[in-house]
Amino acid sequence: MGKITGFLEYERKDKKEIDPKERIKNFSSFHIPFTEEEQKEQASRCMNCGIPFCQSALKVNNKNVGCPLSNLIPEWNHLIYLGLFEEAYKRLSLTAPFPEFTGHVCPALCEECCTNSIDSKAVGIKANELFLIDKAFENGWIKAKTNIERNNINVAVIGSGPSGLTCAKTLNDNGFNVTLYEKNDRFGGLLMYGIPAMKIEKHIIERRINLLQEEGIKFINNTYIGKDITMEKLSSSFDEVVMACGTSLPRPINVKNSRLSGIVYAVDFLTKITKDLLDKKDFSYNLEGKHVVVVGGGDTGNDCLASAVRLKAKSITELEITPCPPQENVLPWPNYSSKRKIDYGVKEASIYMGYDIVRFKTTIDEIVGKDHIEGIYVKQVEFTKDGLVDIPHTREYLPCDLLIISMGFLGTSDEDLSLYNMEGKNHKVNLNGFKYKNNISVCGDMKNGQSLVVLAEKDGLDCAMTIIDKYKN
């Protein structure tokens, strides 16, 4: 049993993981949950701060720290410590629309400004959140709301990613008739196809979709707004339309021969793997004996590394144009940590290869091949006051059979009713809050640019609230 002074008596523990050499044999989740007693101890480390920065949704030096959803973290931490799990879940559900999503994939902004982290290690808030939602589903505390009083106002939501789902759920909970359109065959957007199964297993997303369907949301898949249904027809058929189409236009690599076969964008790569898994097909990518290079060191690039390991690539290399971050954090609390983050994909690929597979300050100078990529020349670069400059005598050849581009996104493609120009810039249109034009609103990454799942959820929630306020008597 934990104690109220747990932060003085218990060290932070992270969940145990299946050994990398074993877990890379499949695409299943590899985290081992705590026991209830271990979870109570970890929750007891919460200091019940007078000013809980963890839930304050702060921005420090233009980076998010603190929970954007303003989750009531100290309250449900204390209830976990007391063993009152259902009550803790109820407090969590007041602010978090989908704790099973954020509990798996959120980078835990709340932990960045946990007061414990000033001179110790932060409370494991993310693990506590996931524990609660898992308990809730296991014990049947989550039931479909079937007695919602309807207001006969019809809303179409385009896109079933985190923002679209949150907006749809919030509107539905408040009596609106919601129809959600998705261009893909499965619902979930980035959660379904942009994040691999070992990070969030897909039955978790399908479970929530099924619940939302029971609650009255109408889901329509394989329907591309702008192609299958015009935007004009949609906006004339519904009282309100919400565009939550995400950012689907990847940043290209501006190097000669970048259109050779064997060069793919990260989300396309991850999507095919997930579809093959779910459809129980042989993998579209046979990487045995192949050299794989991933360009970009973000979360999506990391997921590509982990996937390439599981597909048994011969060699795996990641190119990151920025310098290697310091091994220890050098920024004061509550800044987002400056130290190097070695995520699961980098860890697995480095163990698989026997050395650190990340090459910092490195970019592609030339792509070699005829019809299909054969290799790349890389060079080291440096950021100076005059811009990016080459480091002399660092040009080097690497064999490459599959080049995965994971350099972020520019916005939403024209076919997705773009709000961005297509000049490679992230210039947004002028929006009045969430309002795009007439009865059309926009939210999530489509409005703000590439971001985090938790921020997309917050934006979807806020967008829904503006529509709810509009129709209040």
Side-chain angles (χ1 to χ4, degrees), residues 378-401:
V378 299
K379 60 182 178 182
Q380 293 183 34
V381 293
E382 202 143 35
F383 289 91
T384 71
K385 62 180 182 180
D386 298 319
L388 193 66
V389 298
D390 297 351
I391 299 176
H393 313 300
T394 59
R395 185 172 149 98
E396 178 185 354
Y397 179 80
L398 297 178
C400 179
D401 301 293

Side-chain angles (χ1 to χ4, degrees), residues 41 103 177 236 283 287 312 439 456 458 472:
E41 285 185 1
N177 299 319
S236 64
F283 287 113
L287 299 187
K312 302 177 182 178
N439 62 337
K458 171 61 173 170
K472 277 184 178 178

Side-chain angles (χ1 to χ4, degrees), residues 401-421:
D401 301 293
L402 182 68
L403 180 64
I404 304 172
I405 309 301
S406 182
M407 296 165 51
F409 297 86
L410 295 175
T412 309
S413 70
D414 284 321
E415 296 171 320
D416 282 336
L417 311 168
S418 176
L419 304 186
Y420 300 84
N421 70 16

Side-chain angles (χ1 to χ4, degrees), residues 425-464:
K425 305 285 185 180
N426 235 12
H427 295 310
K428 294 183 278 292
V429 299
N430 292 321
L431 295 171
N432 180 14
F434 295 91
K435 184 62 68 180
Y436 179 37
K437 59 184 178 181
N438 302 326
N439 62 337
I440 303 171
S441 301
V442 58
C443 64
D445 288 4
M446 190 176 187
K447 175 169 76 73
N448 303 317
Q450 182 183 356
S451 189
L452 303 173
V453 167
V454 67
L455 290 169
E457 287 187 5
K458 171 61 173 170
D459 214 52
L461 174 64
D462 289 345
C463 181

